[in-house]
Amino acid sequence: MKTAANSLSINALLDRFRPGMRVFVQAGPSESIALRAALTARPDCARGVTFTGIFIPGVNSFDFASLDPQSEALSSFVPPSSRASFAAGRTQLVPLHYSELGPFLRAQKFDLALLHCPPDHDGTFSLGLNADVALAGVVASSETAVLINPQMPHTTCRTNLLTSQAHWRVDADSEILNVPSDATDATSLAIARHVVRFI
């Protein structure tokens, strides 16, 4: 990897977006607040772009398909925030079991994969808060941009992203996605008591 030559600002990354692009976004708890803010400030950059990610109800509340009337999104979930774009035909639901998502994504063709990671260490990037299908998106993409956030925790994954797999390094320092929970009913608390033993 060429390091400095491949460093981009987040606005320079958005300058590379073009109508017809297919972009894989690492979502779930790893959704980037910095990316979301940059796109909100410059929604025209998303015109004609299709964003694919695992946008989880109760976790992800940003609707990529709402950025522009010609933006689209594809996901295995339709969060409440995406219902209007789903009704308008701009968000496509692909109803798959979670175990099927990796093979499905690897069979796609993306122009760009956007991963949200802590700074690299020993030649690899940790995949942060959720590894799930991140590398499947990379495998299917022509280029990969790593949104580097020092506030993202470094976690140990079975397989990390090699620094040589990243075409672009993007400064994306921002707070981590906050997922508040108000699950205080008796059933949720009973489940939590069982789960806490494994943490």
Side-chain angles (χ1 to χ4, degrees), residues 120-145:
D120 54 311
H121 179 70
D122 291 337
T124 67
F125 287 103
S126 163
L127 296 175
L129 294 176
N130 62 309
D132 55 19
V133 297
L135 292 182
V138 170
V139 167
S141 297
S142 299
E143 293 185 327
T144 297

Side-chain angles (χ1 to χ4, degrees), residues 5-6 16 25 42 46-48 73 75 84 88 123 134 148 156 159-160 164 175:
N6 290 325
R16 300 180 64 82
V25 181
R42 298 180 57 193
R47 183 169 299 131
S75 179
I148 300 175
T156 302
T159 306
N160 288 333
S164 59
E175 63 183 12

Side-chain angles (χ1 to χ4, degrees), residues 59-141:
V59 175
N60 302 117
S61 60
F62 184 72
D63 182 13
F64 285 85
S66 70
L67 287 163
D68 182 89
Q70 296 181 43
S71 300
E72 296 184 353
L74 185 149
S75 179
S76 57
F77 301 102
V78 178
S81 59
S82 300
R83 285 176 185 163
S85 60
F86 176 72
R90 296 202 311 273
T91 289
Q92 180 182 352
L93 173 66
V94 181
L96 296 172
H97 290 289
Y98 221 92
S99 62
E100 298 175 294
L101 293 175
F104 171 77
L105 290 170
R106 283 190 289 273
Q108 303 303 303
K109 290 185 179 179
F110 299 111
D111 299 291
L112 179 66
L114 300 178
L115 267 59
H116 184 202
C117 305
D120 54 311
H121 179 70
D122 291 337
T124 67
F125 287 103
S126 163
L127 296 175
L129 294 176
N130 62 309
D132 55 19
V133 297
L135 292 182
V138 170
V139 167
S141 297

Side-chain angles (χ1 to χ4, degrees), residues 7 12 14 45 52 83 87 91 166 194:
S7 294
L14 297 190
C45 293
T52 297
R83 285 176 185 163
T91 289
H194 288 293

Side-chain angles (χ1 to χ4, degrees), residues 8 13 23 51 81 93 104 109 134 143 150 154 158 178 182 188 197:
L8 287 178
L13 175 69
V23 177
F51 297 92
S81 59
L93 173 66
F104 171 77
K109 290 185 179 179
E143 293 185 327
H154 185 283
R158 183 174 62 184
N178 182 28
D182 58 0
S188 296
R197 294 179 296 166

